[in-house]
Amino acid sequence: MRVLVIGSGGREHALLIGLAKDPSVTDLHVAPGNAGTASLATNHAVDVASAPAVVALAQQVAADLVVIGPEVPLVLGVADALREAGIATFGPGAQAAQIEGSKAFAKDVMAAAGVRTAHSEIVDNPAQLDAALDRFGPTWVVKDDGLAAGKGVVVTADRAAARDHAAELLETGHPVLLESFLDGPEVSLFSFVDGETVVPLIPAQDHKRVGDNDTGPNTGGMGAYTPLPWLPDTVTAQIIDDVVKPVAAELAKRGTPFSGLLYAGLAIGKDGPAVVEFNCRFGDPETQAVLALLKSPLGQALNATATGTLDQLPPLEWADGAAVTVVVAAENYPGTPRTGDAIVGADADGVLHAGTKLDADGTVLSSGGRVLAVVGTGVDLAAARAQAYDRIAGIKLPGSHFRTDIGKAALEGRISL
Ligand code: GLY
C-alpha cells in the first residue's frame, strides 16, 4: 500500500513511524513534512490547504491511501476532493469536520445527541460582550469560534483578561464563544470512526499550559502521557457509550457521517465526563504517546477506516507499560517563536520532529513554535518519564524550553476523580 500523509508536525512524524512499521505499507510520502519525516518518507513541498494540489500529488505518487493530519485541510474539504477523485482517504469531509471547525456546530450536534458539555453563548456584537461576560464566571473560558490551534483559548479568573481577549477577537472579526468552566481532570480519547462504527484508542492526557504546574498561557500542547492510571475503565467505557457513539450516530443521521479520527476532549467532573471540545483529527502531542504503544499495524487500521470496513478490523493490540511525550518549544512560544537555529541531537531515538527543516547542507534547523516532541516508553509512567527526559538531555536548541512535569501529577497520585 502506497500512503501519502498530509501535514508537517510531530503528529505526522508519529504517523509515519507507525506506518513504516506496517508490513502492508510499501511506500511513504508526506506533504509538506519536515526534517524528521525526510528520513522515512519522500517530502513534497505542496500547499496542503489546496485541494487540487493535494489531489494532484496523490495521483502523481499513485497513493492507495491518503491520511490527513491537520484540521485546516479537513475543514477546507480536501478529504472530499480526494474521495471524489476515487482515492481512499483517512479524515472527515468538510461538513463532518465542522465538529472542530465550528464550536457552534459542535454544540448543536452534542445537544441533539444528548451529550454533556459546557453551557455556552456566542457573542458576535461587541455591544453585547459585557452583559454576556456577566452571565459567566467566576472562571471565564473565552474561545475563538473557529480554528485557533489551542492558542485562541483563554481560561481565566480575571474578568478584565477575559474581556480583553474577547474584545481582541471581535475586533479582528472573529465571533467569540463564552463557556462555563468545566471542572475536573482532562482526558483526550481518540477513536477511529467510520459512520457508526467506533474503535477507541487508549486515553491520554495533554498539558496545555506553557509552564510547569499548569501556569502561563495556553499552547497547542506541551506534553502528554498514556495510559491514565487514575481513570477507571468504567469511565472510559462511559465516554465511548455516552459521548463518542452518540455523536458519531448523530453525524451519520444528519447525512454527514464521520470518517477518520474523532478526538473527544473531556473534563471528568463530579457528575461524570463532559465534553470540552471535539477535534476532527489526531491530537498533538497525545498521538506521539498513544501510537508509541500501538502494536497493531497502523496502516491497516487507517485503511479500514478510510474504506468503510472498520467493523472488520481485528481488535487493536497495545503494549503494556506507558508512554510520555515532552514537547521542546522554541524561545518565546506560544508567542512568535525564534526560528532558524541549528538543533543538536535531533536525530536521536524517540525524537520526533514538529517545527524543523533541513537547510541546504543538511543541518536540522528549528522552523516553528513546537520544534520537537520527545517520546519515552517504559514499564510504567515513571520509567517512560525517565526515558523521555533522558532523551531531552541530549538535545541542544538555543532559547528552547520544555515542561519538566509531564505526567508528574499522575505519577505522584495527585489526580483523582
Ligand atoms: N492536544 C491538543 C490538540 O491536538 O488540539
Side-chain angles (χ1 to χ4, degrees):
M1 177 165 57
R2 300 167 64 86
V3 184
L4 167 63
V5 173
I6 300 301
S8 63
R11 165 186 53 207
E12 286 75 25
H13 195 177
L15 286 165
L16 288 164
I17 290 170
L19 287 163
K21 285 194 283 194
D22 182 335
S24 72
V25 175
T26 54
D27 217 3
L28 279 173
H29 296 267
V30 59
N34 58 41
T37 65
S39 59
L40 288 165
T42 308
N43 284 5
H44 297 268
V46 157
D47 174 8
V48 300
S50 161
V54 173
V55 171
L57 175 62
Q59 287 168 335
Q60 179 200 321
V61 302
D64 301 300
L65 172 69
V66 178
V67 179
I68 302 182
E71 59 276 20
V72 170
L74 292 166
V75 168
L76 292 175
V78 172
D80 301 293
L82 286 160
R83 287 195 190 96
E84 277 158 27
I87 300 163
T89 301
F90 183 90
Q95 282 184 297
Q98 287 299 302
I99 198 82
E100 174 167 3
S102 165
K103 306 281 183 258
F105 175 84
K107 293 284 175 194
D108 190 56
V109 169
M110 283 188 269
V115 168
R116 291 184 63 233
T117 184
H119 165 70
S120 68
E121 280 182 42
I122 300 233
V123 182
D124 52 13
N125 177 350
Q128 289 162 2
L129 178 59
D130 282 301
L133 285 167
D134 289 344
R135 290 192 285 276
F136 290 83
T139 300
W140 284 267
V141 180
V142 183
K143 297 183 176 176
D144 183 340
D145 183 37
L147 297 178
K151 291 185 282 180
V153 182
V154 163
V155 181
T156 178
D158 177 349
R159 189 187 186 282
R163 191 185 190 289
D164 285 351
H165 183 59
E168 196 183 311
L169 288 170
L170 288 168
E171 262 167 35
T172 51
H174 292 232
V176 166
L177 189 87
L178 298 180
E179 279 188 350
S180 57
F181 178 64
L182 292 172
D183 219 353
E186 292 199 1
V187 172
S188 302
L189 183 70
F190 303 162
S191 302
F192 295 133
V193 173
D194 154 22
E196 295 202 36
T197 306
V198 171
V199 174
L201 281 63
I202 48 176
Q205 189 180 48
D206 190 7
H207 294 60
K208 294 208 174 74
R209 302 277 186 159
V210 73
D212 280 359
N213 301 314
D214 297 327
T215 52
N218 261 40
T219 67
M222 292 298 290
Y225 65 98
T226 187
L228 307 179
W230 47 269
L231 188 72
D233 290 347
T234 48
V235 178
T236 306
Q238 200 183 352
I239 296 169
I240 297 159
D241 291 342
D242 297 351
V243 175
V244 186
K245 286 184 175 171
V247 163
E250 175 62 23
L251 288 169
K253 190 173 132 198
R254 291 177 180 218
T256 55
F258 193 95
S259 169
L261 192 291
L262 186 60
Y263 166 146
L266 309 117
I268 314 298
K270 288 190 178 45
D271 301 325
V275 172
V276 176
E277 64 179 0
F278 273 106
N279 293 319
C280 64
R281 39 80 195 171
F282 281 97
D284 192 340
E286 299 97 308
T287 300
Q288 293 88 318
V290 169
L291 293 186
L293 297 184
L294 180 67
K295 290 206 297 189
S296 305
L298 178 64
Q300 290 169 41
L302 301 178
N303 194 50
T305 309
T307 55
T309 56
L310 186 59
D311 57 346
Q312 291 156 42
L313 187 74
L316 295 178
E317 290 183 33
W318 299 95
D320 292 334
V324 170
T325 315
V326 182
V327 168
V328 177
E331 183 174 326
N332 203 40
Y333 176 80
T336 306
R338 163 176 171 173
T339 57
D341 290 296
I343 308 167
V344 174
D347 54 6
D349 280 349
V351 177
L352 277 56
H353 289 220
T356 70
K357 64 176 187 184
L358 289 172
D359 76 1
D361 63 11
T363 306
V364 179
L365 301 178
S366 59
S367 65
R370 290 188 294 172
V371 181
L372 302 169
V374 179
V375 179
T377 55
V379 290
D380 56 20
L381 183 52
R385 263 176 59 79
Q387 189 180 63
Y389 284 109
D390 268 1
R391 287 174 165 175
I392 281 200
I395 293 168
K396 304 274 173 289
L397 172 62
S400 63
H401 56 99
F402 59 88
R403 279 183 63 160
T404 66
D405 65 345
I406 304 302
K408 192 165 181 233
L411 181 65
E412 294 175 351
R414 288 188 278 117
I415 303 183
S416 56
L417 298 180

